[in-house]
Structures are given as structure tokens and as C-alpha cells.
Amino acid sequence: ENQGITYIPDGIGQLINLESLNLAFNQLEVVSESIGDLVNLKKLTLTGNALTSIPNSIGNLSNLDTLNLLFNSIENLPESIGNLTNLSLLNLDRNELTVLPDEIVNLSNLKTLDLGNNQITALPDSIGNFVNLEKLFIDNNNITSLPESICDIPANCYVIATGNQLCDKYKYACIDWGWNDLQWGQQDCQQ
């Protein structure tokens, strides 16, 4: 990591036995479609680059269990992300996301989903599909409502929702908002 790398050569797709790839804190602006050839990859870390998108071929990485994309400028995710059904950690903190593909709810093995510090306006209606979720961070977005299916995620899931535009009717009792409601925190509710 931190090597000043500005691009990933297409030849990287030939490293088919690679299980972990860390390209954090470089100057990557694009990820080659050939990354999808790394079918044995379990951990991919692209933290702290200048990415605005993720290639569609990411959906081929069916063995991936950890995907770190925080501190980029990602504006949207490919629908193919829903193919990563072994993913247990997806970190998208501090990007430029406004919307999530509906396919994201196919990630039924997800334990940690960090969507903090984006510009997301809504969560998928079927967010309750995340039946194994342990941590859900949606803080500092532009979320104005929460789908009722959020009550279908595990009761012990740690949810942080501070810094959105959620009115109290979405402060569902099914979620433990922590001592003194710290995890609900400040909301800028437009009635």
C-alpha cells in the first residue's frame, strides 16, 4: 500500500491464485475489468484512492469475503455487487454514493455494512434480507425514511443512524438505539 500507484495493469488478472490484494492509499482512478479474473480473491482493499466507480466484473469474485472501498469518490455500485454472496464485510464509508443497487440485499452473509458519510437518500426496501448483519452504519447521509423491513435484521445488530433527516416515526422500537439514544443521535428532520 501507499506506493503512488495510478493504475492497475490488465495483467493482474493472471494472478488467479491471489487471495488478498491491498492497494490502499494510492492514486488509483480506475480499476481494470481484469480484476474480475481473480476468482480466488477473498480480501480486496482499495481504501483511500480516487475511484469514482467499480468495474462490473467485481461480481465474478464469488469467494470475496471482505471488500474495503472507504475513502474514495465512488458515485455508484454495479448491480453485479449482488453476486458477492460470500461477502461478510462491505465498507463504503466516505464516498459519494446517492443510491444503492437493489441487488445489494442479495448479500445475505453480510455481517458489517458501513455506508456512513455518503449522500444516500434511501435504503433498499428489502434491507431485512440481511439476516446475519451485526453492524449497520448509515450515519451522515441524506436518508429521510427507513423501510419497515429493517426490523427483520437481527435484533442485536448495532445500528448507527446519526446525521440524517429521519423523523421520529422511523425510530423503530425494534432497534436498540443505545443508552441515551446515542446511535440515533442528531437528525435534521424536515416534517
Side-chain angles (χ1 to χ4, degrees):
E1 66 178 274
N2 203 7
Q3 298 293 315
I5 298 169
T6 55
Y7 73 100
I8 303 174
D10 283 340
I12 199 166
Q14 292 167 19
L15 305 176
I16 55 168
N17 293 317
L18 205 62
E19 292 189 3
S20 181
L21 179 59
N22 185 346
L23 292 165
F25 302 105
N26 283 287
Q27 282 104 46
L28 293 173
E29 293 180 13
V30 68
V31 176
S32 165
E33 287 282 350
S34 63
I35 197 127
D37 297 337
L38 303 178
V39 292
N40 290 301
L41 210 57
K42 292 178 180 165
K43 182 172 185 176
L44 176 57
T45 299
L46 295 166
T47 301
N49 280 285
L51 301 172
T52 56
S53 64
I54 295 298
N56 211 38
S57 66
I58 195 113
N60 299 343
L61 305 181
S62 56
N63 291 304
L64 209 61
D65 72 26
T66 301
L67 180 54
N68 282 312
L69 298 170
L70 62 160
F71 286 109
N72 278 285
S73 300
I74 298 167
E75 295 168 7
N76 49 51
L77 297 171
E79 294 174 3
S80 65
I81 200 155
N83 298 344
L84 305 180
T85 50
N86 284 309
L87 211 57
S88 69
L89 184 151
L90 176 56
N91 193 334
L92 289 156
D93 189 64
R94 296 182 196 280
N95 277 284
E96 306 287 334
L97 293 168
T98 55
V99 68
L100 298 169
D102 288 335
E103 290 78 8
I104 202 168
V105 299
N106 296 344
L107 307 179
S108 55
N109 287 307
L110 216 51
K111 291 182 176 163
T112 298
L113 177 57
D114 191 341
L115 300 168
N117 302 288
N118 280 278
Q119 280 104 47
I120 297 166
T121 53
L123 298 178
D125 284 339
S126 45
I127 195 165
N129 288 19
F130 292 134
V131 291
N132 292 301
L133 210 56
E134 295 171 2
K135 294 176 184 167
L136 174 61
F137 302 142
I138 54 173
D139 50 303
N140 301 316
N141 277 284
N142 298 322
I143 299 171
T144 55
S145 66
L146 292 178
E148 286 184 27
S149 81
I150 202 167
C151 285
D152 295 333
I153 65 175
N156 60 350
C157 183
Y158 183 67
V159 182
I160 296 185
T162 58
N164 281 288
Q165 296 165 27
L166 292 165
C167 296
D168 276 352
K169 68 176 177 178
Y170 296 109
K171 193 176 181 180
Y172 299 126
C174 61
I175 291 171
D176 177 3
W177 294 109
W179 176 78
N180 217 9
D181 288 338
L182 282 174
Q183 292 153 235
W184 178 261
Q186 292 290 112
Q187 299 290 336
D188 183 15
C189 167
Q190 312 292 325
Q191 287 289 9

